[in-house]
């Protein structure tokens, strides 16, 4: 296709491209409208590619911008562009790959990748051969431009390039890339390594065939003078460690020595990539054996890597000690994500009640939080990676690493230079989890020192000390309170009111951790704590106010009903209600406040009654608004999709109200359409909405079942459809809700049991089912057996063994009680069903710790329950006496009773 631009049209395009670089908002809006108007003309994209590739008299930023606008047009409208226009653009791109300008070459590469991704590589068959041919061009610009484009294609289309659908082009590309590892240009060498690195994790067939050659060439470039080449070498070795350990093992000593060197590289990007090696190595079973001889070299390198650089300190405003009066910028406030309510059964090792985090969640320490939370340093960096590496290695070596680490800590913790001292405090926090047992003997000396560091003159030292102390909070709360807990609590509360916002944030987060560890141990200090937190409400800027809500909510979760005293309520509730009244329904700040109030409502119980009516009504309104907005969105694309997080948070607050107020919520439920809204929420496409809906359903069932009862025919099929363990938290809450409903519904459950029973059996027998889901499923099956033993008992052989092993570890409570009663009812109906696994049932009965005086509703004397320390024997005798002869005969045969 031959095409030439019209002069007037070209000048219009250039003018609009120039205007688009203006910082003025009004100009930007006018430009956007003009661009939308231009997009109505098919050859507008021809003008854009012309400006990018042919109009070399224009400045490079304008030409590049033309290409980026074209890229967006192809991404959004590529499928509707005329074929001849697309072919023209492809042709011009390939002609411009070797442009003399690096910026234009990079833009052309981005454009090529976008076309290939949008239209498919199979629709541009000449692309890869053409680019590979250009690699042999003696003109550096052509070779580099082609490699730049190929690198982007490899990044975006790694799996497709290794597929048979394209006749496996990697069979040609990988060997060709390897040839350029020894190119005279470092830029070309870097591209070659980066291209092949894209295929390591997927174990691409073509790479695996050439793996020895690849590794040999990596080693050859290990001491390259170019930092980008060294960085890509390190990156390749880190990935090979995960994928082809067998090929690296013969060279492991040399690789470790190389990575020790590169971790100290003068280029921070290289040092960061090398530091990733230690994180990856720690996950390998051979880590301890191969790294032990080098640990004395590695540990001080990692601790040095934790120091703030001069640039870090400038970006963090580390020399600004007082900034609490400076308003936050909106861009400094990171998005918060609400964790939907999940009901779980507590295990025997845990204390406290009700619910916890989502099933299957990973509680690993997040080094993106607490270390240097600043928009300019929020990305992964050398400091965070070094701290994380020391953490994971401490978990590998445990106390064995202390003879090496302790002298380093002694040197750094008490250093006169605050930057070195700060890195020592960070290192002490990093080893907390892995080396706790070995550190216990040193903590009586270290904890008071750390508490004194909370008053350090440098804000960055105070903030990291908050984090490190939170890592040792569990030890602190188990020591004499006057000696450690009380001084720590008092100093953290002072830091919550610090004049530096970073310290405020770190102190709030640390105090929330202390609350979780101490729980009711904080009750004697509640008034002092509440007065401090409430004062912070009047002191904090926007960002830290959101974190403060979390600290208050965590306090409520930790102390529970102890918060329900008038003097505490009078301190806490007025400022929260003031905030509640100030915030509009569409204000994002409403979400953390709703989360906070959910915890408070649960803790205060009847103490929340004076505040419940407006809170309840607003939650209903938020849910209604979200549902209505989604309906409008489905009817017309002119409406925006609703932010469903506000609906999730509202559902969770209603759950908190139901759990806290119990039967007192009945009037509010009776005078609202909550059941109809719940019916819609339970069918939402978003799993988090369904998760919170089922939690609310279970809580309303417990609090006011007469209002739930009329909807059983609608609710039960939905519950059955959500017993899908691929959505763990949704499945968990649906399972829990079924158990609560059947205990209220009684024999009436018979008509619905077929909707859920088979799925529950699948879940309890599924390999690798998360512990919380397994326990909730076992509880619910037991409860179904309690109310419908005749219907469930025939299936005993399908689940009884897994049921017994699942419930033996959970603590004694009413849910466990009802489940075991259900099992006994089922055994009475079908004694033969338990015989092959009777020893597991006896083991589960023996897991009861508490003597219990609970009795069955009908006849206390017949309840097969643990009445004394001889509980297992009594269970056996009761079953012997009450069951059919079949059971007795088989027990005699199998267990010689």
């Amino acid at each position: 296709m031959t095409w030439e631009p019209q002069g007037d049209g070209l000048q219009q395009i250039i003018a609009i491209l120039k205007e688009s670089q203006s910082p003025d908002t009004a100009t930007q809006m006018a430009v956007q409208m003009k661009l939308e108007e231009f997009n109505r003309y098919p050859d507008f994209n021809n003008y854009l590619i012309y400006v990018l590739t042919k109009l070399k008299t224009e400045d490079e930023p304008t030409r590049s911008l033309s290409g980026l606008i074209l890229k967006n047009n192809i991404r959004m409208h590529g499928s509707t562009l005329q074929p001849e226009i697309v072919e023209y653009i492809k042709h011009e791109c390939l002609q411009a790959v070797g442009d003399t300008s690096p910026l234009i070459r990079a833009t052309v590469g981005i454009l090529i990748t976008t076309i290939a991704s949008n239209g498919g590589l199979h629709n541009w068959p000449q692309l890869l051969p053409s680019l590979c041919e250009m690699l042999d061009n003696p003109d550096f610009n052509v070779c580099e431009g082609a490699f730049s484009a190929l690198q982007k294609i490899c990044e975006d289309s790694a799996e497709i390039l290794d597929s048979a659908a394209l006749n496996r082009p990697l069979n040609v590309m990988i060997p060709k890339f390897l040839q350029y590892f020894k190119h005279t240009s470092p830029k070309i060498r870097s591209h070659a390594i980066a291209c092949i690195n894209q295929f390591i994790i997927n174990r691409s067939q073509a790479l695996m065939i050439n793996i020895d050659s690849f590794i040999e060439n990596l080693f050859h470039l290990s001491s390259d003078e170019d930092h980008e080449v060294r960085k890509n070498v390190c990156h390749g070795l880190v990935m090979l460690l995960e994928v082809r350990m067998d090929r690296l093992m013969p060279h492991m000593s040399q690789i470790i020595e190389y990575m020790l060197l590169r971790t100290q590289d003068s280029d921070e990007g290289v040092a960061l990539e090398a530091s990733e090696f230690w994180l990856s190595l720690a996950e390998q079973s051979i880590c301890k054996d191969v790294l032990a001889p080098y640990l004395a070299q590695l540990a001080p390198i990692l601790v040095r890597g934790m120091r703030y650089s001069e640039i870090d300190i400038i970006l963090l405003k580390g020399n600004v000690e007082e900034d609490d009066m400076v308003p936050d910028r909106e861009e400094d406030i990171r998005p918060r994500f609400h964790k939907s309510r999940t009901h779980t059964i507590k295990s025997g090792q845990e204390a406290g009640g009700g619910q916890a985090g989502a099933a299957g969640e990973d509680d690993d320490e997040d080094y993106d939080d607490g270390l240097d939370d600043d928009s300019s340093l929020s990305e992964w960096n050398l400091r965070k990676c070094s701290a994380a590496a020391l953490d994971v290695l401490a978990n590998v070596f445990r106390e064995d690493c202390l003879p090496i680490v302790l002298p380093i800590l002694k040197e750094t913790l008490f250093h006169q230079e605050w930057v070195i001292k700060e890195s020592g405090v960070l290192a002490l926090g990093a080893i907390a989890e892995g080396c706790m047992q070995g550190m216990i003997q040193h903590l009586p000396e270290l904890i008071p020192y750390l508490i004194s560091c909370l008053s350090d003159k440098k804000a960055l030292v105070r903030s990291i000390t908050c984090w490190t102390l939170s890592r040792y909070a569990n030890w602190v709360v188990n020591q004499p309170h006057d000696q450690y807990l009380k001084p720590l609590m008092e100093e953290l509360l002072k830091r919550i009111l610090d004049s530096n916002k970073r310290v405020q944030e770190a102190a709030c987060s640390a105090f929330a951790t202390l609350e979780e560890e101490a729980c009711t141990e904080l009750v004697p200090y509640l008034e002092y704590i509440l007065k401090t937190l409430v004062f912070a409400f009047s002191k904090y800027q926007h960002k830290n106010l959101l974190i403060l809500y979390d600290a208050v909510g965590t306090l409520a979760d930790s102390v529970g009903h102890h918060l329900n005293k008038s003097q505490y309520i009078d301190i806490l509730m007025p400022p929260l209600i003031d905030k509640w009244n100030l915030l509009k329904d569409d204000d994002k700040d409403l979400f953390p406040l709703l989360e906070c109030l959910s915890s408070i409502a649960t803790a205060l119980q009847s103490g929340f009654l004076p505040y419940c009516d407006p809170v309840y009504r607003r939650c209903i309104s938020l849910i209604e608004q979200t549902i209505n907005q989604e309906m409008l969105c489905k009817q017309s694309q002119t409406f925006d999709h609703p932010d469903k997080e506000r609906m999730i948070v509202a559902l969770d607050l209603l759950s908190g109200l139901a759990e806290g107020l119990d039967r007192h919520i009945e009037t509010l439920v009776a005078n609202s359409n909550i059941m109809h809204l719940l019916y819609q929420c339970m069918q939402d496409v978003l799993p988090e909405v369904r998760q919170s809906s089922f939690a609310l359903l279970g809580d309303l069932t417990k609090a006011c079942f007469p209002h739930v009862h009329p909807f059983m025919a609608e609710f039960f099929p939905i519950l059955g459809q959500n017993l899908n363990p691929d959505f763990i938290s949704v499945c968990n809450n649906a399972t829990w809700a079924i158990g609560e409903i059947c205990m209220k519904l009684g024999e009436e459950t018979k008509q619905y049991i077929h909707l859920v029973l088979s799925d529950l059996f699948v879940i309890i027998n599924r390999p690798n089912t998360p512990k919380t889901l397994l326990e909730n499923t076992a509880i619910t099956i037991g409860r179904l057996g309690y109310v419908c033993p005749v219907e469930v008992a025939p299936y005993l052989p399908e689940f009884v063994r897994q049921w017994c092993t699942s419930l033996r570890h959970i603590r004694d409570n009413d849910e466990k009680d009802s489940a075991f009663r259900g099992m006994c009812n089922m055994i009475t109906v079908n004694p033969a069903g338990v015989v092959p696994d009777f020893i597991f049932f006896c083991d589960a009965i023996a897991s009861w710790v508490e003597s219990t005086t609970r009795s069955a509703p009908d006849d206390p004397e017949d309840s097969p329950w643990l009445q004394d320390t001889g509980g297992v024997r009594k269970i056996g005798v009761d079953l012997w006496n009450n069951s059919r002869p079949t059971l007795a005969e088989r027990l005699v045969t199998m267990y010689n009773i």
Side-chain angles (χ1 to χ4, degrees):
M1 171 184 177
T2 56
W3 179 87
E4 291 294 330
Q6 297 291 324
D8 291 344
L10 186 59
Q11 290 309 310
Q12 287 186 57
I13 299 294
I14 293 171
I16 206 72
L17 289 172
K18 299 281 189 185
E19 288 178 25
S20 69
Q21 298 172 58
S22 167
D24 181 65
T25 305
T27 304
Q28 289 282 350
M29 292 179 66
V31 166
Q32 189 60 39
M33 292 178 65
K34 197 71 176 173
L35 288 173
E36 290 175 5
E37 181 184 333
F38 283 166
N39 267 317
R40 298 195 190 112
Y41 301 97
D43 62 350
F44 173 51
N45 294 298
N46 290 1
Y47 279 94
L48 291 174
I49 191 66
Y50 183 88
V51 172
L52 172 66
T53 60
K54 296 283 182 66
L55 207 61
K56 299 190 178 184
T57 54
E58 275 301 325
D59 60 90
E60 291 179 8
T62 299
R63 292 174 61 196
S64 177
L65 180 60
S66 178
L68 294 176
I69 292 172
L70 176 56
K71 178 208 76 169
N72 288 334
N73 285 349
I74 289 172
R75 189 169 51 83
M76 296 174 67
H77 312 297
S79 60
T80 60
L81 290 180
Q82 296 174 9
E84 59 269 24
I85 291 176
V86 174
E87 290 305 313
Y88 175 70
I89 293 170
K90 288 178 180 179
H91 177 269
E92 293 304 311
C93 280
L94 288 175
Q95 294 299 309
V97 162
D99 195 280
T100 55
S101 163
L103 176 62
I104 301 305
R105 290 201 301 272
T107 307
V108 169
I110 292 171
L111 188 53
I112 286 172
T113 310
T114 304
I115 296 170
S117 298
N118 195 71
L121 282 167
H122 62 282
N123 287 322
W124 197 352
Q126 70 271 35
L127 174 62
L128 294 176
S130 297
L131 291 175
C132 286
E133 185 179 342
M134 289 180 194
L135 296 181
D136 298 326
N137 195 301
D139 185 336
F140 168 80
N141 292 330
V142 175
C143 179
E144 195 280 328
F147 242 134
S148 177
L150 282 166
Q151 182 178 334
K152 294 178 179 70
I153 292 169
C154 291
E155 289 171 359
D156 289 356
S157 307
E159 290 188 18
I160 298 170
L161 289 170
D162 195 35
S163 68
L166 291 178
N167 294 320
R168 299 196 183 279
L170 286 187
N171 291 341
V172 174
M173 293 167 66
I174 294 288
K176 192 166 187 70
F177 292 157
L178 285 169
Q179 295 173 15
Y180 291 87
F181 274 44
K182 297 178 182 179
H183 196 277
T184 55
S185 166
K187 187 77 172 173
I188 300 301
R189 296 197 298 273
S190 179
H191 279 314
I193 305 168
C195 283
I196 294 185
N197 281 350
Q198 300 302 320
F199 306 101
I200 297 174
I201 295 298
N202 291 339
R203 299 173 182 265
S204 296
Q205 180 181 329
L207 177 56
M208 293 302 106
I209 293 171
N210 293 278
I211 194 69
D212 292 328
S213 176
F214 174 52
I215 293 172
E216 182 183 341
N217 278 281
L218 278 184
F219 288 164
H220 176 76
L221 294 175
S222 60
S223 299
D224 199 282
E225 293 180 0
D226 184 80
H227 63 89
E228 281 298 321
V229 172
R230 296 197 303 274
K231 186 166 75 172
N232 283 329
V233 168
C234 290
H235 186 50
L237 289 172
V238 169
M239 290 188 290
L240 284 169
L241 193 62
E242 300 177 28
V243 173
R244 291 308 303 262
M245 171 70 78
D246 59 319
R247 287 294 196 270
L248 296 187
M249 274 304 294
H251 316 283
M252 189 56 70
S253 295
Q254 297 96 306
I255 292 171
I256 288 174
E257 289 172 3
Y258 173 70
M259 286 301 184
L260 285 169
L261 189 64
R262 293 283 74 87
T263 305
Q264 304 170 78
D265 200 283
S266 58
D267 183 273
E268 185 168 327
V270 177
L272 173 58
E273 203 61 63
S275 296
E276 295 278 0
F277 179 82
W278 313 116
L279 289 172
S280 185
L281 182 60
E283 296 176 358
Q284 309 301 323
S285 59
I286 51 97
C287 178
K288 194 168 185 178
D289 292 335
V290 299
L291 193 57
Y294 302 95
L295 193 61
Q297 294 173 253
L298 176 59
I301 294 172
L302 292 177
V303 175
R304 280 199 298 274
M306 296 179 206
R307 294 179 193 174
Y308 282 121
S309 67
E310 291 182 8
I311 295 175
D312 290 340
I313 294 168
I314 293 169
L315 291 172
L316 287 164
K317 302 181 180 69
N319 293 318
V320 176
E321 295 302 320
E322 297 186 6
D323 62 354
D324 59 331
M325 301 300 290
V326 179
D328 294 323
R329 299 176 304 168
E330 287 305 307
E331 57 266 33
D332 292 336
I333 301 170
R334 292 191 298 179
R336 297 179 78 260
F337 299 100
H338 173 68
K339 291 183 178 179
S340 300
R341 204 171 168 94
T342 301
H343 281 273
T344 63
I345 309 301
K346 290 291 183 181
S347 68
Q349 290 76 24
E350 295 173 298
Q355 79 263 356
E361 276 180 2
D362 190 352
D363 290 327
D364 286 349
E365 191 65 44
D366 182 0
Y367 279 85
D368 276 336
D369 293 330
L371 298 193
D372 41 35
D373 181 19
D374 188 271
S375 58
S376 55
L377 284 179
S378 59
E379 73 279 1
W380 191 240
N381 58 28
L382 180 60
R383 168 181 163 83
K384 294 176 183 178
C385 189
S386 299
L390 186 61
D391 184 345
V392 295
L393 291 174
N395 275 283
V396 170
F397 286 91
R398 300 289 175 177
E399 288 70 38
D400 292 345
C401 70
L402 287 180
I404 295 168
V405 175
L406 285 175
I408 300 171
L409 291 176
K410 186 175 181 180
E411 179 186 346
T412 53
L413 280 172
F414 305 98
H415 205 280
Q416 293 302 306
E417 290 186 40
W418 75 264
V419 173
I420 298 176
K421 176 181 177 179
E422 194 274 348
S423 69
V425 176
L426 169 54
L428 179 59
I431 66 168
E433 182 182 331
C435 300
M436 181 60 75
Q437 288 305 310
M439 288 300 297
I440 286 175
Q441 61 181 306
H442 305 286
L443 293 181
E445 178 186 355
L446 286 173
I447 295 300
Y449 174 70
L450 288 173
I451 292 174
S452 72
C453 289
L454 289 173
S455 302
D456 194 277
K457 64 180 182 180
K458 296 300 296 184
L460 288 174
V461 173
R462 298 198 300 276
S463 63
I464 197 59
T465 303
C466 291
W467 179 80
T468 293
L469 278 165
S470 73
R471 302 271 284 178
Y472 292 96
N474 180 267
W475 182 85
V476 169
V477 300
N478 288 296
Q479 307 307 309
H481 288 192
D482 288 342
Q483 196 170 354
Y484 301 106
L485 177 60
K486 194 173 179 183
L488 173 58
M489 180 189 67
E490 290 173 350
E491 287 303 316
L492 277 180
L493 288 172
K494 288 178 185 176
R495 297 286 67 81
I496 283 175
L497 301 179
D498 199 276
S499 57
N500 182 276
K501 292 190 288 187
R502 187 180 314 283
V503 179
Q504 293 173 358
E505 177 183 0
C508 265
S509 297
F511 198 78
T513 301
L514 185 65
E515 290 168 343
E516 291 173 334
E517 295 290 349
C519 293
T520 53
E521 302 291 335
L522 294 179
V523 170
Y525 317 107
L526 265 178
E527 186 169 353
Y528 177 42
I529 294 170
L530 288 171
K531 285 182 177 178
T532 302
L533 297 179
V534 165
F535 184 74
F537 275 116
S538 63
K539 181 180 176 71
Y540 276 15
Q541 299 296 332
H542 187 186
K543 178 182 176 184
N544 285 349
L545 192 60
L546 307 182
I547 298 165
L548 183 60
Y549 288 140
D550 182 61
V552 173
T554 304
L555 178 66
D557 291 334
S558 300
V559 301
H561 66 88
H562 296 283
L563 199 60
N564 187 13
K565 290 186 178 179
S566 58
Q567 67 265 36
Y568 301 151
I569 296 172
D570 292 343
I571 296 170
L572 179 60
M573 290 308 297
L576 289 175
I577 295 302
D578 287 345
K579 297 286 185 186
W580 170 268
N581 291 330
L582 284 172
L583 294 173
K584 296 180 180 179
D585 286 351
D586 59 354
D587 194 320
K588 288 279 189 181
D589 290 1
L590 186 62
F591 300 165
L593 178 55
L594 285 168
E595 292 177 8
C596 177
L597 286 173
S598 177
S599 297
I600 291 171
T602 304
L604 291 187
Q605 300 174 353
S606 60
F608 199 78
L609 276 172
Y611 312 96
C612 66
D613 187 62
V615 171
Y616 181 90
R617 282 189 282 106
R618 189 169 192 179
C619 287
I620 294 294
S621 174
L622 289 170
I623 296 169
E624 283 182 328
Q625 289 173 41
T626 309
I627 290 174
N628 290 338
Q629 188 177 345
E630 182 166 45
M631 290 174 64
L632 289 172
C633 183
K634 288 178 179 178
Q635 293 168 8
S636 172
Q637 293 185 352
T638 58
F639 291 94
D640 293 331
H641 286 279
D643 182 354
K644 292 188 179 179
E645 187 176 10
R646 66 176 179 173
M647 179 161 69
I648 295 167
V649 180
L651 288 165
D652 287 347
L653 178 45
L654 289 174
S655 282
L657 287 174
E659 187 176 346
L661 299 178
D662 198 38
R663 58 184 176 80
H664 297 293
I665 201 173
E666 189 165 0
T667 304
L668 296 170
V669 171
N671 294 321
S672 71
N673 62 339
I674 187 171
M675 291 302 161
H676 297 284
L677 296 176
L678 191 55
Y679 176 68
Q680 292 173 274
C681 292
M682 287 165 60
Q683 299 175 84
D684 196 274
V685 294
L686 200 66
E688 291 81 2
V689 175
R690 302 199 304 277
Q691 176 184 336
S692 293
S693 301
F694 296 135
L696 176 56
L697 175 61
D699 284 320
L700 289 174
T701 296
K702 294 171 72 174
C704 54
F705 185 66
H707 296 284
V708 180
H709 192 184
F711 296 87
M712 284 299 95
E714 291 82 12
F715 287 174
F716 247 105
I718 300 173
L719 287 164
Q721 292 160 15
N722 281 274
L723 295 178
N724 179 1
D726 290 336
F727 297 93
I728 294 170
S729 296
V730 178
C731 182
N732 190 71
N733 283 4
T735 301
W736 174 79
I738 291 166
E740 293 298 334
I741 289 170
C742 74
M743 291 303 289
K744 297 287 187 179
L745 202 56
E747 290 189 1
E748 196 179 329
T749 309
K750 290 178 182 178
Q751 60 186 303
Y752 307 113
I753 200 168
H754 67 281
L755 296 170
V756 300
L757 205 54
S758 60
D759 289 311
L760 293 172
F761 294 157
V762 169
I763 295 167
I764 201 168
N765 287 297
R766 192 176 192 239
N768 302 316
T769 299
K771 182 170 173 283
T772 49
L773 177 56
L774 205 58
E775 291 169 351
N776 265 337
T777 303
I779 291 286
T780 295
I781 290 173
R783 287 179 152 191
L784 288 169
Y786 182 75
V787 296
C788 302
V790 174
E791 285 70 26
V792 185
Y795 304 100
L796 270 173
E798 294 184 26
F799 67 84
V800 66
R801 179 179 296 194
Q802 188 59 50
W803 187 95
C804 292
T805 55
S806 300
L807 292 189
R808 72 177 309 279
H809 294 295
I810 69 168
R811 65 185 177 89
D812 303 347
N813 58 22
D814 290 338
E815 292 172 315
K816 183 175 179 179
D817 182 303
S818 57
F820 271 79
R821 291 182 189 277
M823 178 55 71
C824 291
N825 286 354
M826 288 184 279
I827 291 173
T828 302
V829 172
N830 179 20
V834 77
V835 169
D837 301 303
F838 189 69
I839 194 70
F840 290 92
F841 180 64
C842 292
D843 178 63
I845 292 294
S847 72
W848 281 84
V849 177
E850 300 175 358
S851 294
T852 176
T853 55
R854 299 185 183 100
S855 57
D858 298 324
D859 186 353
E861 294 301 319
D862 289 338
S863 175
W865 259 156
L866 197 64
Q867 302 295 338
D868 51 41
T869 55
V872 177
R873 182 175 296 175
K874 185 180 188 311
I875 292 282
V877 170
D878 283 349
L879 285 171
W880 182 283
N881 292 332
N882 296 331
S883 301
R884 300 173 186 172
T886 310
L887 175 61
E889 291 168 3
R890 294 197 183 184
L891 288 174
V892 168
T893 303
M894 295 184 66
Y895 300 112
N896 296 318
I897 296 178

